[in-house]
Amino acid sequence: MDVVNRYITINNHINIAPQDSDFELKASPLSLSLDPASNVVIVKNLYVSIDPYQLNRMKSFSASQKTSDFAVAIVPGEAIDTYGVGKVVASTNPEFDKGDIVVGLLNWGEFTVIKAGGMLNKLNPMGFPLSYHVGILGFSGLTAYAGLFEICKPKKGEKVFVSAALGSVGNLVGQFAKLSGCYVVGCAGSKEKVALLKEKLGFDDAFNYREETDLNSTLKRYFPNGIDIYFDNVGGEMQEVAVSNMNINGRIAVCGVISEYLDSEKRAAPSMIEVIYKRIKIQGFLAGDYLNIFGDFLSTTCDRLRTGKIQPLEDISDGVESIPSAFISLYRGQNIGKKIVKIAEE
Ligand code: NAP
């Protein structure tokens, strides 16, 4: 049987803010009748992840492209891989059967053909919606968990600051830190987001960074006794002022620097004198380095979801054609929580 596979490609490298015209929806026939010797799996994609780091892969050059198999350059005109959940519709790989629900590296498209050795695992949804396994129970959740607990090691009563706090990773960092007994302040780009952080997610306080004219004074206002932990999702000026407001022995997990992704000239230049004399630890990390704690992360997070101690925050668009606008929305601050595209019904 043949199907038509519609998928998204980029028309060109994207070195500035992404726009609709940078993307194209392509369609090509795909045969579901497999050669028995082929050892491949064809997955019907159900939910695919939309993440800021893809922009660095779309650039003509980014220092990130040579550092990890997940960050390699995206070639204009070719399919774009991403984390996602799907259903096996054909398989000659003995490890997978038709009908299996799977999670792994799929495409921004309707189907993915995965050769032996590709990143794909059977998924037990454990009673949760499949979309959770793309976000809160997938890499976004692992990123928040690993960055906070493995790098920042929060202690009860410590003061935690999170940027892009209503995003996919940031909202979980704040919720996890609250459960560890920390005082948590987040920043985000609108009044509505600030209200959600305080009223829905239980942050102690939050502010709209776009309304502030002097971010250093802003942090002094929210942290009169200094910051112990900064979970950095944005880089740039916010990172510089966070360093200036850190306490002695503070920890900074550099998760992402989204404010620098659109402008390769823009670099945070935090005061290294402060870093030295305050003995601040600043560590970049990749969630993929923490697969060893995935089991621990999953059981803890599932428990907290079941007992209502953590709120899932998802922002789901529909259909493969909505992928470009979903991706662009991240750079316009239009997403509330984990941005996902639902490609098809199970
Ligand atoms: P997200 O926060 O859900 O979405 C991006 C958010 O960033 C937007 O909603 C927007 O919120 C904010 N933003 C966009 N442009 C900005 C700018 N110029 N300055 C400040 N904020 C801006 O995305 P996410 O998936 O959770 O990712 C958050 C960060 O973590 C990103 O930097 C990403 O690259 C990184 N990350 C790293 C890893 C890792 O393994 N190290 C894994 C996942 C993600 P506002 O309304 O607040 O502006």
Side-chain angles (χ1 to χ4, degrees), residues 136-149:
I136 188 167
L137 298 176
F139 268 84
S140 308
L142 179 65
T143 305
Y145 190 87
L148 183 67
F149 294 113

Side-chain angles (χ1 to χ4, degrees), residues 52 143 167-169 188-189 193 209-210 233 255-256 261 285 287 330 335:
T143 305
S168 159
V169 175
K193 288 186 176 185
Y209 69 94
R210 291 181 199 273
N233 285 314
C255 175
Y261 296 171
F285 72 102
L330 298 177
N335 62 307

